[in-house]
Amino acid sequence: MVPKDDSYYANSDIAIIKGLGTTYTSSFYKKGIFTLFDLLLDFPFKFLDQTKITKISDIRPDGGFYFIDAHIVAVQNVLTRRVKMLKMMLQDDTGKIEAVFFNLYPNQIKAYTRGRRILAFGPVKYNDYNGVVNFTQPTVTFLEEGDEVKPQERMTPVYHAVEKVPQAAIRKAVNGVLQSLHAIPLPELLPQKHNPFNLTLSQALDLCHYPFPPDIPNQKIIPEKTEGFKRISYEELIAYQLTLLSVKRKNEQHNAVAIDKALEDTDRFIKSLPFELTGAQMRSFKEVQQDLSSQKPMLRLLHGDVGSGKTMVAVLAAIQVAKSGNQCVVLAPTELLAQQHYQKFKALLDPCGIRTELITSSIKGVKRKKLLEDIESGEVQVIIGTHSVYQEEVHYRNLILAIIDEQHRFGIDQRIALLKKAPSDITMHQLVMTATPIPRTLQLALFSDLDVSTLDELPKGRKPIITAVMPDTRKAEVIKRLDEVCHQGTQVYWVCPNIEENEDETESVKTTYKELKKQLPDLKIGLLHGQLATNEKNKVMKAFLEKEYDILVATTIIEVGVDVPNASIIVIEGAQRLGLAQLHQLRGRVGRGALDSYCILIYKSSETDVNDIAMQRLSIMRATTDGFKIATEDLKLRGPGEVLGNKQTGFDIFRVVDVNRDFELIDIARNAALDIIHNDTETCRALIARWFPKFKV
Ligand code: ADP
Ligand code: MG
C-alpha cells in the first residue's frame, strides 16, 4: 500500500533497516538521526568518482582520485624505525605506477602478492621530496583474472563520520532507504508550477546522495551546489514561509484588544523628555499607536541602526497600553539586557505612574511570590524579563502587547509560548525589534509576515564616531594614550574576542585584563565576561555606569544594547575575527553621549587570517558608520546570517537550508508560499507537517 503522507519515512525508526545492528543504530541516534527521513537528509560531504576505469598512461599527478584495473608486478616492504610502508608497482596494458600503503596489518601485507589483479582507487600525486608520482593509500578490491569490472554509474558518496560505523555501512543504510523510495515514494507536494527544478523530492534526494559524474573529469562536486540539493532547500524554504504565514493567519482568527491612543499621556511624556524625538521615532511611534488602536493584531518589526532610539518607541507603546489599563511584556534575549531595559523603562515610566517590574530566574522565594501576585492582579503593568516571562507559573491579568527585543534570537516556538499568555480568544499585539538594520531583501525573506517601521535617522547632535584601524604592533601606543584620556575622565571599553586562534574568549579577556592592570596601575579596571554569575555581571555594569571603572575589559558580551553614555572610546582587539554586524554593534556602544567618540580596531598583523575579506570589513568600518550601508555590504560579503549576528540567529530551525547559502532561493520560495497558502490548503498543511511538524496547523 502506498501511503499518502510522509509517515513511513517520518515515523519509521532507522532500527528497521536490515543489517543495522543496535551498536550502529545508537551511533546514529547520537548524531540526531532517528528516522528514515533523518537519514535521507544526512547528506554526503563529498564524492568519489568510481565511474570510470582510467588507463595508467592517462593518469595526471594532480591529486585527483583515479580508479585503475591493474596487476601487482613488484612488492617491497619498507620497514624503518620511523616508517612502516608497503610499496608496490602496478601495471596495466598502458604503463606502470607506484602505490604506497602505510601501517598495514601483517595479513593485509600478505594479501598483496606479485601477479594479483586489483582494482585500486585513490589520489595520485607528484611527491616533491622524492620526485615520484604515486598512488597514496588507495582503496583496493582484489579481482580474479576473469572478473568483469563494472564501474559505478553514479558518484560514490562519502558521509560525515558516524561513531564506529564504517563508511560502507552508512552507504548501505542510506542506499537501502533510497531504494525503498521506489516502492514507497515520498508524496510529491510541490505543485508543478512551483517547481522550477523539474525534480521530485525523491529524485532530488537520490541525486543528492548519488549524483552523476561531473562533465569535466575530476571536477569537484559540492553537494550543496547541486540541483538536487537546491530543490530540497527550496521546498524547506517554502515550508518555512508557510509556517510564518500560517502562524500569522491563526493569530488573526482572533481580534486583538483595540486601545485608546492615550494622546494626552504620550504627548506629556514626549514633552517631558530632555531631547526631541527624531522624525523617524515619531513616525514609527505613530505607526505603532495606530496599530494598537485597531482590533487587527499588530505584528510589526521595528528596526534601525544602533543608537537610533528604538527603546523610546517601545516605551511609548508601553505607556499607551498601561494607560488603557492593560499589561505589556518586554522580552529580552539575555539577563544583562533585560536588566538594562528594566532600568530604562522604570526610570521613564515611574513618573507616569506606571509600575514596571523585572522577572528573572534569580528572583526567588517570597519576593517571587509577591511579584507573581502583582502581575496576576494587574498591579504591575509593564513586565520585563527573559524567557521567565512566559513560564507556566506566570499569569497575567490582561496582557495585550508583547515587545520582543532581538527577535531573531527567539524561535517561533518561544514566540508561540509567549502568545499563549494573552487572555483567551484574544491575540496579542506584537512589536519586535532588532538591534541591526535589516536590508529590505532580507526583510522580505525572513520576516515577510511582519509590517515594518524603520528608524532611519539618528538623534540630533550625535557626533560621528571616529574609527581607526591599526595593527597590534601599535598596541603600546594605544595604551599610553588611554592613560592620558582616562585621567581626564573618559571611560573606555576594551573588547577582546579570542585573540589567539583556539583560545576561548574568557581566557583571552582575563589575560588582557591582567596585562592592562600591570601597564596602567593607577587606573581602575573592570572585567566582564559570560562566565560571571548574572548578579556579578550586573554589579560590574552598574559600577562602570557609575564611573567606578575607567576601563572595562569585556568579551563580546557587551555587544547588545548596553548603554553607558560616558564611555566614549572602544578598543576592539582581534577585530579581524569579527563580522561587520558584530563590529558595528560593538562600536555602537560608544557615541551615545555628547562626547567625541572613538573606535579603535586592532588587528593581529602576524595572522595569515588577515585576509582580504577581513581587511575589507575593517575598511568598511573605517569608511562609514551607517548601519544600513554596513548591513548591505555585509550581505554581499557574508550573507544574511552575518547581518543578523552570526551566533544564534534562530535559523537553526532549518534542516537543510542555510540562509547564507540559499539566499537567492528565498524570494521565489516566498512567492510560491503566498500562492500555496491562498489556493492550496492541503499542500500547505502537508509541507508544514513535513518540514516543521512542531507547528502543525
Ligand atoms: P537603540 O536603537 O540602539 O536601542 P536606544 O534606544 O538605546 O538605541 O537609544 C540610545 C540612546 O539615545 C539612549 O541613551 C537614549 O536615551 C538616547 N536617545 C533616544 N532617542 C533620542 C533622541 N531623539 N534624541 C537624543 N537622544 C536620544
Ligand atoms: Mg537597544
Side-chain angles (χ1 to χ4, degrees):
M1 194 198 73
V2 177
K4 285 204 193 54
D5 56 23
D6 293 3
S7 55
Y8 177 66
Y9 296 95
N11 301 338
S12 302
D13 195 298
I14 50 169
I16 69 161
I17 298 172
K18 283 206 189 67
L20 205 63
T22 46
T23 321
Y24 288 0
T25 323
S26 55
S27 296
F28 278 109
Y29 292 164
K30 269 192 220 155
K31 272 196 73 183
I33 297 168
F34 298 98
T35 66
L36 301 186
F37 195 53
D38 293 342
L39 193 61
L40 285 173
L41 295 186
D42 182 39
F43 297 112
F45 70 95
K46 68 173 185 183
F47 301 97
L48 304 176
D49 189 349
Q50 305 188 345
T51 62
K52 50 196 159 296
I53 307 261
T54 306
K55 290 293 182 189
I56 290 178
S57 61
D58 290 337
I59 289 179
R60 300 282 157 265
D62 51 7
F65 278 66
Y66 290 92
F67 196 31
I68 63 164
D69 180 351
H71 285 84
I72 303 175
V73 293
V75 186
Q76 189 193 359
N77 204 352
V78 184
L79 274 180
T80 68
R81 210 147 45 82
R82 287 194 300 138
V83 250
K84 269 205 259 173
M85 176 168 72
L86 189 70
K87 256 201 224 180
M88 63 182 81
M89 193 53 80
L90 304 174
Q91 183 175 30
D92 68 5
D93 52 1
T94 67
K96 287 185 189 174
I97 190 162
E98 185 185 273
V100 291
F101 298 85
F102 299 94
N103 304 319
L104 292 179
Y105 293 113
N107 56 348
Q108 288 176 300
I109 295 175
K110 252 190 266 163
Y112 291 102
T113 51
R114 239 174 63 185
R116 275 198 97 164
R117 181 182 168 205
I118 61 169
L119 271 181
F121 178 79
V124 178
K125 276 199 296 268
Y126 171 82
N127 291 285
D128 275 334
Y129 65 95
N130 59 4
V132 172
V133 170
N134 61 21
F135 261 109
T136 317
Q137 301 268 69
T139 315
V140 168
T141 317
F142 290 99
L143 296 175
E144 298 304 326
E145 280 314 315
D147 284 352
E148 208 183 310
V149 178
K150 260 208 322 226
Q152 309 286 332
E153 269 177 41
R154 308 274 193 96
M155 302 293 280
T156 308
V158 180
Y159 295 97
H160 288 288
V162 179
E163 203 179 284
K164 296 196 212 110
V165 189
Q167 275 295 322
I170 306 179
R171 248 173 236 152
K172 192 161 163 244
V174 177
N175 200 25
V177 184
L178 285 170
Q179 292 312 316
S180 63
L181 284 173
H182 297 297
I184 313 171
L186 276 163
E188 185 51 23
L189 300 179
L190 279 195
Q192 194 77 36
K193 64 174 169 175
H194 291 308
N195 185 354
F197 296 93
N198 256 323
L199 292 169
T200 64
L201 180 62
S202 299
Q203 287 166 337
L205 284 164
D206 192 45
L207 283 173
C208 278
H209 291 276
Y210 287 92
F212 287 100
D215 297 334
I216 304 160
N218 274 329
Q219 187 185 39
K220 228 171 144 184
I221 298 181
I222 298 163
E224 292 78 15
K225 295 214 165 132
T226 58
E227 285 298 288
F229 198 94
K230 284 191 193 161
R231 155 72 180 75
I232 298 169
S233 285
Y234 170 71
E235 181 173 317
E236 192 184 24
L237 276 170
I238 293 178
Y240 175 68
Q241 295 281 341
L242 288 171
T243 308
L244 290 182
L245 293 166
S246 304
V247 170
K248 180 172 170 143
R249 243 194 196 188
K250 210 169 160 192
N251 278 339
E252 286 175 355
Q253 283 170 359
H254 295 295
N255 285 334
V257 176
I259 56 172
D260 192 77
K261 285 189 176 166
L263 289 174
E264 263 177 48
D265 295 289
T266 51
D267 271 357
R268 192 173 328 119
F269 174 80
I270 292 169
K271 287 206 184 90
S272 77
L273 290 171
F275 46 71
E276 214 175 299
L277 291 185
T278 65
Q281 279 172 317
M282 276 313 281
R283 190 185 60 233
S284 297
F285 166 55
K286 293 281 166 209
E287 285 162 354
V288 173
Q289 195 178 40
Q290 185 60 40
D291 285 356
L292 290 175
S293 67
S294 152
Q295 285 194 333
K296 182 168 170 274
M298 171 171 79
L299 189 47
R300 184 170 285 281
L301 170 71
L302 174 65
H303 72 134
D305 208 346
V306 264
S308 58
K310 290 180 280 288
T311 316
M312 216 47 81
V313 179
V315 167
L316 279 160
I319 293 175
Q320 190 182 345
V321 169
K323 288 296 170 186
S324 74
N326 291 291
Q327 291 171 304
C328 97
V329 140
V330 181
L331 177 63
T334 65
E335 291 218 1
L336 188 58
L337 205 57
Q339 185 84 38
Q340 286 235 348
H341 275 317
Y342 170 63
Q343 274 148 12
K344 274 198 205 169
F345 274 71
K346 189 171 161 54
L348 292 163
L349 294 178
D350 274 354
C352 309
I354 295 168
R355 185 163 156 209
T356 307
E357 291 293 347
L358 177 70
I359 176 163
T360 70
S361 50
S362 41
I363 299 169
K364 297 204 167 84
V366 200
K367 245 175 125 183
R368 187 175 194 86
K369 191 161 165 278
K370 176 82 173 74
L371 177 59
L372 291 175
E373 277 169 16
D374 289 354
I375 292 173
E376 188 163 7
S377 70
E379 251 166 79
V380 181
Q381 291 109 10
V382 179
I383 300 95
I384 298 181
T386 58
H387 55 272
S388 289
V389 301
Y390 52 82
Q391 300 297 301
E392 194 95 45
E393 55 167 353
V394 190
H395 301 279
Y396 295 88
R397 181 157 171 266
N398 45 15
L399 177 57
I400 65 157
L401 168 66
I403 298 172
I404 307 173
D405 198 11
E406 298 274 320
Q407 81 115 22
H408 59 274
R409 296 206 183 194
F410 298 97
I412 303 183
D413 41 348
Q414 288 163 309
R415 226 167 94 189
I416 290 174
L418 175 59
L419 293 181
K420 291 211 176 107
K421 296 293 184 186
S424 56
D425 296 335
I426 295 288
T427 292
M428 229 184 275
H429 291 294
Q430 296 174 70
L431 178 64
V432 303
M433 310 198 284
T434 70
T436 327
I438 301 170
R440 194 167 157 68
T441 39
L442 200 53
Q443 281 171 35
L444 278 179
L446 299 166
F447 307 111
S448 61
D449 52 335
L450 310 179
D451 294 319
V452 178
S453 293
T454 304
L455 291 179
D456 49 7
E457 190 182 338
L458 288 180
K460 268 196 222 100
R462 285 274 161 84
K463 297 208 178 131
I465 303 164
I466 297 150
T467 302
V469 177
M470 55 184 70
D472 54 352
T473 45
R474 291 179 59 191
K475 209 163 114 180
E477 241 175 89
V478 175
I479 294 175
K480 189 157 165 266
R481 183 85 186 111
L482 290 190
D483 201 11
E484 290 163 26
V485 295
C486 286
H487 280 104
Q488 292 155 17
T490 300
Q491 283 181 290
V492 178
Y493 290 105
W494 187 295
V495 180
C496 15
N498 38 350
I499 299 172
E500 299 294 338
E501 189 136 26
N502 300 328
E503 183 187 32
D504 97 44
E505 282 196 356
T506 318
E507 278 316 304
S508 161
V509 89
K510 282 181 188 161
T511 313
T512 307
Y513 173 68
K514 278 187 215 140
E515 188 190 316
L516 287 179
K517 269 188 103 121
K518 206 161 83 192
Q519 295 196 34
L520 301 167
D522 36 311
L523 291 183
K524 283 161 293 166
I525 303 179
L527 175 64
L528 185 70
H529 57 76
Q531 282 173 17
L532 296 176
T534 305
N535 57 353
E536 244 344 275
K537 278 186 234 166
N538 293 335
K539 242 175 36 207
V540 174
M541 271 324 290
K542 192 155 171 276
F544 189 54
L545 187 64
E546 287 165 3
K547 302 186 192 175
E548 280 171 37
Y549 296 126
D550 300 300
I551 299 178
L552 182 65
V553 183
T555 59
T556 48
I557 189 174
I558 61 150
E559 173 190 345
V560 174
V562 174
D563 198 10
V564 180
N566 191 52
S568 61
I569 298 180
I570 184 163
V571 180
I572 305 173
E573 252 189 293
Q576 81 281 357
R577 286 177 184 270
L578 298 175
L580 270 177
Q582 211 176 5
L583 287 169
H584 183 62
Q585 271 298 318
L586 286 168
R587 179 168 60 185
R589 297 311 105 216
V590 299
R592 296 186 157 244
L595 302 165
D596 275 342
S597 296
Y598 299 88
C599 169
I600 297 158
L601 302 172
I602 301 182
Y603 63 88
K604 203 164 163 62
S605 51
S606 64
E607 208 165 87
T608 44
D609 160 283
V610 179
N611 53 23
D612 282 335
I613 294 232
M615 287 321 266
Q616 237 170 299
R617 279 201 297 261
L618 297 182
S619 62
I620 292 168
M621 285 297 293
R622 185 168 43 200
T624 181
T625 49
D626 179 339
F628 280 90
K629 235 186 231 163
I630 288 175
T632 309
E633 287 299 322
D634 214 6
L635 196 58
K636 280 192 228 147
L637 281 178
R638 292 280 291 269
E642 183 73 14
V643 177
L644 296 170
N646 50 6
K647 275 191 190 130
Q648 292 166 281
T649 45
F651 301 135
D652 47 5
I653 46 167
F654 289 117
R655 312 196 54 179
V656 181
V657 169
D658 171 329
V659 281
N660 291 326
R661 185 191 61 218
D662 300 323
F663 186 56
E664 83 274 13
L665 294 173
I666 294 175
D667 237 17
I668 50 166
R670 172 175 158 71
N671 289 333
L674 281 170
D675 181 49
I676 292 169
I677 197 162
H678 287 119
N679 302 312
D680 193 347
T681 320
E682 203 37 48
T683 300
C684 173
R685 195 197 49 74
L687 278 169
I688 293 175
R690 172 177 290 168
W691 294 102
F692 299 95
K694 272 204 279 186
F695 308 117
K696 228 178 254 173
V697 272

